[in-house]
Amino acid sequence: MSNLSIFKQSGAVSTSGKRELTGLAKTLAATNSMRRIATNTNGTFKRMINGEQMGNAIRGEFNSIIVDALPKVSRTFYAGKYDPNAKATLPDCWSNLGDKPEASASNKQHSNCADCPQNVKGSGDNGGRACRFQRRLAILVEGDPTGEVYQFNVPAKSLFGKGNGNVHPFESYVKYLLGNGESPDTVVTNISYDLNADSMELLFTPLRGISDAEYALVVEAQADPETKKYVQLTVAATDGVKALPKQEASKPAPAPVVTRSEEPEDDDEDEAPAAPVKRRAKASTVEEAPAANGDLASIVNAWGDGAEDED
């Protein structure tokens, strides 16, 4: 917090010290700003408010308390190639619960995720899936007494795999906590970059149990309906992006190569007519994925079921 006064007139008004913020401040903050902690390929974390960086980046690691998440791994698909210099757009297709496209997706790829061609290994770059796994978490930052909730996105390469001791990829980390009588919302979690990885990968380590003051912030955050937005909205939506992805026009089929002759070929008269082609039925309209209910410990019991590691 800056020491610079925001007031035009100097002088104390209250004789009882700094007053606590009223409910109006929290209402307006929740309405007008969306917050997330962004990961970067240079090994830093940035605090983002409505898509704009606030303060300096943090290198290497930071500590947090995970307060909410969806019960299943989410999926996000962009039809175009990633361009860091291009204007950000919403995804072409995405699924909060990894089962079917959201109703608001502008370019749905299939009626369900299991049978979607973008979910096949090899459909994306380097033999991976074009539709990427991810986790969107709602977190508190250790040491922040305001209790402000941030979105934190766990990318596919940081989700699956096996841990070592108490250091784990995310899905393994949740199972490790539950197996030891803890939950992501009862411990302070260190989130760090894996220095031994060839690409940007994150590790999760429990530091300690939360304090009574932190527990009060967790309870307040979980009771706030605004917290659900952080696990349901895509990263682009959290940053306030409204632009839809550019829909490329379908390329016309190439013109047939015509070979002319004054005499019929021997097999022309014997060739059987082609069988009629049946049209595929149009995909049915899908509904928006429902928000998950229940406490975080019961939600994360279902995490990782049926998920495969992505190369």
Side-chain angles (χ1 to χ4, degrees):
M1 180 70 70
S2 172
N3 292 323
L4 180 66
S5 174
I6 66 172
F7 299 109
K8 185 176 181 179
Q9 296 180 349
S10 61
V13 176
S14 172
T15 59
S16 60
K18 179 69 175 178
R19 297 188 181 99
E20 293 184 4
L21 293 179
T22 64
L24 176 60
K26 293 185 178 181
T27 299
L28 293 177
T31 302
N32 296 327
S33 64
M34 294 295 288
R35 302 172 293 274
R36 73 182 180 94
I37 304 296
T39 55
N40 302 279
T41 55
N42 64 355
T44 62
F45 301 97
K46 294 189 297 185
R47 185 167 67 103
M48 310 292 292
I49 309 294
N50 295 334
E52 298 293 331
Q53 180 176 344
M54 296 295 170
N56 295 325
I58 299 173
R59 180 168 297 280
E61 62 183 18
F62 75 101
N63 299 331
S64 69
I65 305 171
I66 301 167
V67 297
D68 201 6
L70 292 175
K72 297 291 183 181
V73 177
S74 302
R75 296 170 185 261
T76 302
F77 170 74
Y78 285 89
K81 294 288 185 181
Y82 174 68
D83 181 358
N85 299 317
K87 183 178 179 180
T89 67
L90 295 171
D92 288 74
C93 187
W94 74 92
S95 173
N96 281 330
L97 297 179
D99 55 352
K100 60 183 179 181
E102 300 302 314
S104 54
S106 64
N107 185 17
K108 300 177 182 64
Q109 299 296 298
H110 200 277
S111 60
N112 67 82
C113 297
D115 300 323
C116 181
Q118 310 299 350
N119 184 40
V120 177
K121 282 191 175 183
S123 58
D125 295 334
N126 301 319
R129 293 175 172 85
C131 185
R132 305 303 299 272
F133 293 115
Q134 63 175 219
R135 279 279 190 196
R136 292 190 293 272
L137 309 177
I139 67 171
L140 302 175
V141 177
E142 183 193 35
D144 183 359
T146 66
E148 289 185 333
V149 177
Y150 291 82
Q151 182 185 75
F152 185 76
N153 182 60
V154 184
K157 286 189 175 181
S158 302
L159 284 174
F160 309 112
K162 294 182 179 180
N164 184 8
N166 63 354
V167 182
H168 294 258
F170 187 75
E171 300 298 310
S172 176
Y173 177 65
V174 171
K175 293 178 180 178
Y176 173 78
L177 290 180
L178 297 177
N180 285 277
E182 296 289 352
S183 172
D185 57 352
T186 64
V187 301
V188 174
T189 297
N190 173 262
I191 303 176
S192 63
Y193 287 96
D194 185 355
L195 300 180
N196 294 317
D198 294 331
S199 59
M200 186 188 72
E201 298 179 25
L202 303 174
L203 296 172
F204 298 82
T205 308
L207 287 184
R208 58 174 174 83
I210 60 175
S211 66
D212 290 342
E214 290 167 335
Y215 176 75
L217 293 176
V218 170
V219 171
E220 182 179 1
Q222 291 177 339
D224 187 349
E226 291 288 323
T227 300
K228 284 296 178 187
K229 293 183 179 180
Y230 289 92
V231 299
Q232 293 175 332
L233 294 176
T234 64
V235 171
T238 303
D239 283 350
V241 174
K242 297 181 179 179
L244 296 175
K246 182 180 179 181
Q247 300 294 322
E248 298 182 359
S250 300
K251 296 181 180 180
V257 178
V258 179
T259 302
R260 294 175 174 83
S261 175
E262 294 182 356
E263 298 293 333
E265 298 291 337
D266 293 338
D267 57 356
D268 281 350
E269 297 179 355
D270 298 331
E271 186 175 356
V277 177
K278 295 183 179 179
R279 296 181 180 272
R280 292 184 176 178
K282 292 184 178 180
S284 58
T285 303
V286 296
E287 297 294 332
E288 193 80 13
N293 295 319
D295 60 81
L296 185 59
S298 62
I299 287 175
V300 296
N301 272 308
W303 289 6
D305 293 346
E308 297 178 8
D309 196 357
E310 181 171 348
D311 296 332

